[in-house]
Amino acid sequence: MRLSDIALLELGEKDQPIFDVKYNTWFYGKRVSGWAYPWCVTFVLWCLNKMGVDISYLPQTASVTTLLNFLSINNFYFLKRDFRPSKDDIMFLDGHICIVYEVTEDLITTIDGNYDNKVSLVTRKFNDNAILGYGKLRLEEVKTWER
């Protein structure tokens, strides 16, 4: 099963109350809620884990910036001007990440955790200024990544 297939099955999953969602409970090992627990990163990590990826090789944080820096150090992050994304890539925006579902000439549709407090399909213009870049996860190489 592909990353986007797993994420797609989660469409509509909501946080109730704010940021109290199963992805955070899984990540933190206990139920959490409140503004200190945004969940776009934990959603992506949860989906990777459901795929069978050993996420212990990834930073154990819910920080978008830390994950972006980690992928950059390991040559798995690409600026949007240098890269054409494809299905299952990770899109990085300012303070948010999501999973690429579909790419057309002008549009990118993503599966976003914590978009309007739920898992949502979101379509953006390819040249959207909020898009920073993309993570290209070559899953067969995960165990070789620098920590």
Side-chain angles (χ1 to χ4, degrees):
M1 196 174 253
R2 298 176 69 139
L3 181 61
S4 57
D5 294 334
I6 292 167
L8 201 57
L9 293 172
E10 298 299 306
L11 281 181
E13 184 75 27
K14 296 180 180 184
D15 59 12
Q16 297 284 339
I18 194 77
F19 299 157
D20 183 355
V21 65
K22 69 181 180 182
Y23 319 108
N24 274 348
T25 301
W26 165 80
F27 183 78
Y28 293 103
K30 63 181 181 179
R31 196 168 171 199
V32 296
S33 66
W35 293 106
Y37 299 99
W39 51 277
C40 62
V41 173
T42 61
F43 171 70
V44 171
L45 294 176
W46 183 90
C47 291
L48 286 167
N49 184 67
K50 285 291 183 188
M51 264 185 74
V53 174
D54 182 356
I55 64 161
S56 69
Y57 288 90
L58 296 170
Q60 298 302 297
T61 177
S63 166
V64 173
T65 303
T66 301
L67 186 56
L68 185 154
N69 289 338
F70 174 82
L71 293 177
S72 184
I73 288 167
N74 286 284
N75 299 313
F76 289 92
Y77 175 76
F78 305 89
L79 295 174
K80 78 173 180 182
R81 72 172 181 262
D82 301 327
F83 187 76
R84 182 80 176 169
S86 58
K87 189 172 191 165
D88 300 319
D89 288 340
I90 308 295
M91 177 190 284
F92 285 83
L93 299 100
D94 187 19
H96 186 69
I97 70 170
C98 47
I99 299 166
V100 175
Y101 180 64
E102 185 176 63
V103 180
T104 65
E105 187 172 322
D106 299 327
L107 300 173
I108 301 172
T109 300
T110 57
I111 306 167
D112 294 40
N114 201 20
Y115 187 90
D116 288 336
N117 298 331
K118 65 182 183 242
V119 178
S120 304
L121 269 179
V122 180
T123 300
R124 298 171 177 87
K125 291 187 177 188
F126 193 75
N127 63 357
D128 187 325
N129 288 332
I131 300 170
L132 302 175
Y134 303 92
K136 182 74 168 180
L137 300 180
R138 294 185 292 271
L139 299 177
E140 67 280 1
E141 299 177 24
V142 167
K143 292 182 180 178
T144 67
W145 295 354
E146 257 181 59
R147 293 188 197 212

